[in-house]
Amino acid sequence: MSLTLTSPSGFWNPLLWLAFLILFTLIGYIIYSKGNPSYKKDTEQVKPYLSGNIEPSKEKIQVKAGDIYWGFVEALKDYYKVLKAMHTGDLRDYILWYLGIGAIIIFILIGGV
Amino acid sequence: MGKLYNFKRSLWVFHASGGSCNACDIEIVAALTPRYDVERFGIKLVGSPRHADVLLVTGAIPRDFADKLRRIYEQMPDPKAVVVIGNCGTSGGVFYDSYNIAGPIDEIIPVDVYVPGCPPRPEAIIDGVVKAWLKIEKLEKQLEGKKE
């Protein structure tokens, strides 16, 4: 049984790949073993250098999707302040708003008759 | 031939300037640039304390910078040495006992070599770094001894 798969773009042999994998694992281990074993875990030695400043939390420095709209939200903050106050999270309130606004629209459409 | 424990690598140096008037810093630059060219001996200025063997500190250290200097020192891998360049870092210099100075550098982090002067000449700085190199070789030997 032949393990070699020949195709127009080359060939593939699992044994050859296994040999490469073992070789690269060995090289990787040699590089790893040359590392400095005297570093102290859980100290400043493993933290990034930020000109001596304390590393800020990831939440503080990450750019959030909402930050893209910062200018928009900032410009309309008075409007959003009112909306946020109205935004209770209670579904019944929203249905009430829906019915109320719907009633006003119907009232306008039929001309108040 | 027995196993050599001495520090076999090039010596990498990190420079932390804390409130220096820049004179000592300029002399460090003079030691690096072609006239003295310490890189030919393998002494290289690096941009992160995490890569450095020696910490060069200049200036009287203001209170706000003291904790940052401590953190920079802690980020350096072992073995490491600290060289203080100039009078301000050594004793406080003209800023001695000032209300906003955290004190001489050896009150903040352990110092191995002092290079006094206002500012010291590049030859003195190179001499100081060589002394730090000898200290690191000793520390390296101790660390190797601990491993065995």
Side-chain angles (χ1 to χ4, degrees):
Chain A
M1 189 178 74
S2 172
L3 286 169
T4 304
L5 178 73
T6 310
S7 72
S9 56
F11 70 94
W12 185 84
N13 185 322
L15 289 177
L16 202 61
W17 272 108
L18 194 66
F20 268 115
L21 200 68
I22 291 167
L23 182 71
F24 283 116
T25 307
L26 198 68
I27 292 168
Y29 180 74
I30 290 166
I31 294 168
Y32 169 78
S33 64
K34 292 280 174 193
N36 186 355
S38 65
Y39 84 97
K40 293 165 192 155
K41 282 179 187 170
D42 306 320
T43 63
E44 292 288 338
Q45 286 189 2
V46 293
K47 290 181 186 166
Y49 168 60
L50 298 166
S51 301
N53 291 305
I54 301 167
E55 187 186 358
S57 68
K58 297 284 181 292
E59 289 76 25
K60 269 192 176 177
I61 52 172
Q62 271 173 351
V63 178
K64 296 187 282 293
D67 292 340
I68 300 166
Y69 306 106
W70 177 85
F72 189 79
V73 174
E74 182 69 15
L76 297 169
K77 63 182 172 191
D78 294 334
Y79 169 68
Y80 279 111
K81 209 173 153 186
V82 176
L83 280 192
K84 271 185 185 173
M86 288 159 65
H87 185 59
T88 59
D90 190 338
L91 190 64
R92 290 168 302 179
D93 288 350
Y94 302 144
I95 291 168
L96 199 64
W97 273 106
Y98 184 77
L99 292 173
I101 299 293
I104 292 166
I105 290 169
I106 289 167
F107 186 74
I108 292 165
L109 284 178
I110 60 173
V113 181
Chain B
M1 189 179 153
K3 193 177 174 186
L4 288 170
Y5 293 115
N6 284 354
F7 196 71
K8 298 178 282 286
R9 304 190 298 273
S10 292
L11 198 76
W12 285 10
V13 174
F14 180 77
H15 173 209
S17 175
S20 162
C21 73
N22 209 31
C24 295
D25 311 298
I26 288 291
E27 296 302 323
I28 291 168
V29 173
L32 287 162
T33 43
R35 187 176 175 111
Y36 294 93
D37 193 18
V38 291
E39 277 197 21
R40 68 199 152 121
F41 306 126
I43 301 167
K44 186 175 176 273
L45 201 67
V46 290
S48 167
R50 295 188 58 185
H51 304 152
D53 306 299
V54 170
L55 177 64
L56 294 185
V57 195
T58 55
I61 305 298
R63 292 194 191 282
D64 280 352
F65 189 67
D67 61 326
K68 291 172 177 65
L69 183 65
R70 234 172 260 125
R71 206 169 290 122
I72 288 168
Y73 175 76
E74 283 166 14
Q75 285 194 328
M76 288 173 67
D78 295 311
K80 58 190 167 192
V82 177
V83 180
V84 170
I85 311 285
N87 285 350
C88 294
T90 303
S91 64
V94 293
F95 305 104
Y96 176 76
D97 222 14
S98 173
Y99 68 96
N100 56 353
I101 298 301
I105 291 164
D106 54 10
E107 287 180 12
I108 303 162
I109 52 171
V111 174
D112 301 291
V113 181
Y114 297 91
V115 184
C118 185
R121 289 183 62 83
E123 290 97 326
I125 295 170
I126 296 166
D127 190 42
V129 171
V130 169
K131 282 190 168 59
W133 202 327
L134 294 171
K135 173 80 188 267
I136 286 179
E137 282 184 347
K138 265 188 204 169
L139 292 171
E140 181 91 332
K141 203 183 268 187
Q142 283 172 8
L143 277 177
E144 289 286 337
K146 271 183 197 170
K147 270 187 219 165
E148 289 185 358

